[in-house]
Amino acid sequence: MSELSDQVLWQRAREDDAPAFGALFERHAGRIYNYCFRRTGDWALAEDLTSATFLVAWRSRRGAPLQADSALPLLYGIATNVLRNQRRSLRRRREAFARLPLERTEEPDFAEERTIRLDDQATMRRLLQLFARLPRREQDVIALCDWSGLSYEDAAVVLDIPIGTVRSRLARGRRRLRELATTSGPEVDVDVVPLRIEVNEQ
Amino acid sequence: MSSRLTPPPERDFPAGRLQQRKEQLVSQISGASIATAPSRPRRLLVAAAAVAVAGILTAAAYAGYALTRPVTPVATIGCYETDSLDVNTAVLASGTGSPVAACAAIYASAFPGSQQPAHFAACVLPSGSVGVFPSETTGDTCKSVGLSSLAHTRATQRGSK
């Protein structure tokens, strides 16, 4: 299954082939996981959002033929929407996953790895504090092009906007981000002002 | 872009967690694809139930209206060409005026071949409507046709109240 192209796997998924979709997950979950982390600064949350992204992709598979050879632009697009709607949908998805009777696989607790990831979160949250001051549309293009390495063409597909708009938003966003970095003064201690993802428990 | 604006490098999805998430996903979507079939009928059922409820409410509202609305009698007057039930008839909407006067007024135009009668008699037809018959005399025309006289019927109704 792993040697099949995204196009073939996606087509099979559209015909309700769950293992084919599982292969797509295995292939692309890492990219989406890092994208979600860079938008939230939270590795655990990024895991949840990655699962949520693929779940949404599965549900929308019949109405969404792949526009490119890779499924990644489609998945980034879905992830962007999932991130946008995360507050209201995350609790529901967590409950859905919690109902599944699967044994939890514990990762070996390598202290060094754990420390690295905590540092990542601190670094990312500092950056996101600045980033949050940008308009959402500029955040999207920077996160896709600069942080995730998407081409302008792919970002245009992901965001469903003209490529020229991607370029202009990217240039504007980069400039504003640099200005914010130079004018925002000393770095804020992220332990004092943590980024918080609010989950409505009601 | 300064280091302050550079996100941390990408990390691997922890291998064990990746497999677990994959199993969860495949398990969930396998169940979902089985459940996909009934989801559309369920939506249809919900829609059908909504339509049924709306229909019942509409019917109940109409019934309420029909039972409580002021009654507007829609009676007719049959103007007969001769003193028989088997002849040409001009049907008029019942107004507030006299049935006899109404039929007398249209008789000539409704039955151009007939001579304008000297008298008319208003009778009660089996349907409850009023039938007006020409009469050459002031005798009991209604009785001769086998009907009750309207005047007699009204007098009887007033007397019974």
Side-chain angles (χ1 to χ4, degrees):
Chain A
M1 190 86 71
S2 60
E3 72 281 359
L4 296 175
S5 71
D6 281 11
Q7 285 278 5
V8 172
L9 290 175
W10 185 255
Q11 185 52 42
R12 288 191 182 179
R14 294 184 80 191
E15 294 159 3
D16 294 342
D17 185 340
F21 193 73
L24 275 176
F25 176 85
E26 203 163 353
R27 186 174 294 172
H28 296 304
R31 295 291 301 275
I32 301 302
Y33 171 62
N34 278 281
Y35 176 64
C36 291
F37 169 71
R38 288 172 172 179
R39 302 301 302 263
T40 62
D42 184 325
W43 286 114
L45 179 60
E47 250 188 61
D48 284 343
L49 292 171
T50 302
S51 291
T53 297
F54 279 86
L55 203 54
V56 172
W58 171 261
R59 287 176 181 161
S60 59
R61 67 196 183 281
R62 292 205 179 94
L66 283 194
Q67 303 291 332
D69 290 338
S70 168
L72 267 176
L74 175 74
L75 293 169
Y76 274 115
I78 293 171
T80 303
N81 285 329
V82 167
L83 283 156
R84 202 167 288 157
N85 301 326
Q86 62 178 319
R87 287 186 180 185
R88 65 170 173 265
S89 61
L90 189 61
R91 183 175 64 93
R92 200 170 58 239
R93 295 210 174 90
R94 275 182 173 160
E95 287 171 353
F97 278 110
R99 282 196 294 271
L100 296 172
L102 293 174
E103 289 181 14
R104 191 171 183 82
T105 309
E106 292 298 333
E107 287 294 313
D109 187 10
F110 297 114
E112 189 182 358
E113 173 72 12
R114 191 175 170 78
T115 305
I116 287 172
R117 287 189 180 246
L118 284 173
D119 286 347
D120 286 347
Q121 291 194 158
T123 305
M124 199 65 228
R125 289 175 187 190
R126 269 195 299 272
L127 174 51
L128 285 173
Q129 282 180 352
L130 288 178
F131 199 59
R133 298 188 208 171
L134 297 180
R136 183 84 201 194
R137 55 186 182 276
E138 291 172 13
Q139 293 181 26
D140 286 342
V141 289
I142 290 178
L144 288 168
C145 295
D146 285 350
W147 295 356
S148 301
L150 260 68
S151 65
Y152 296 161
E153 290 83 357
D154 282 346
V157 170
V158 169
L159 299 172
D160 195 21
I161 55 176
I163 194 167
T165 308
V166 172
R167 289 178 199 276
S168 60
R169 285 183 187 176
L170 195 56
R172 202 163 45 238
R174 283 171 176 165
R175 190 181 63 246
R176 285 191 199 185
L177 202 53
R178 277 194 300 270
E179 288 168 2
L180 285 169
T182 54
T183 58
S184 62
E187 293 180 1
V188 182
D189 185 345
V190 294
D191 292 331
V192 177
V193 188
L195 178 81
R196 200 182 301 281
I197 303 300
E198 295 172 5
V199 178
N200 183 4
E201 298 295 346
Q202 297 301 313
Chain B
M1 208 172 277
S2 76
S3 63
R4 192 180 172 187
L5 299 179
T6 306
E10 291 199 344
R11 308 285 178 201
D12 290 337
F13 204 124
R17 302 284 301 155
L18 181 70
Q19 278 308 312
Q20 184 197 3
R21 289 279 179 174
K22 181 186 168 187
E23 287 170 18
Q24 281 182 333
L25 180 72
V26 171
S27 167
Q28 189 171 19
I29 64 180
S30 299
S33 60
I34 295 166
T36 301
S39 74
R40 188 162 292 169
R42 190 172 61 203
R43 252 179 268 143
L44 281 177
L45 278 177
V46 169
V51 169
V53 168
I56 289 167
L57 289 175
T58 306
Y62 179 75
Y65 165 73
L67 291 172
T68 56
R69 68 177 173 177
V71 176
T72 308
V74 183
T76 56
I77 300 168
C79 300
Y80 288 79
E81 188 174 8
T82 64
D83 55 349
S84 167
L85 288 169
D86 302 321
V87 295
N88 296 334
T89 310
V91 178
L92 307 179
S94 174
T96 54
S98 159
V100 168
C103 283
I106 60 95
Y107 190 90
S109 58
F111 310 111
S114 299
Q115 193 176 1
Q116 180 79 16
H119 304 280
F120 288 92
C123 311
V124 179
L125 298 168
S127 65
S129 297
V130 176
V132 176
F133 298 85
S135 171
E136 292 303 324
T137 65
T138 56
D140 199 344
T141 307
C142 292
K143 197 171 183 179
S144 69
V145 185
L147 302 171
S148 311
S149 164
L150 178 63
H152 179 255
T153 304
R154 284 181 176 167
T156 305
Q157 284 173 346
R158 273 195 296 271
S160 66
K161 282 184 181 175

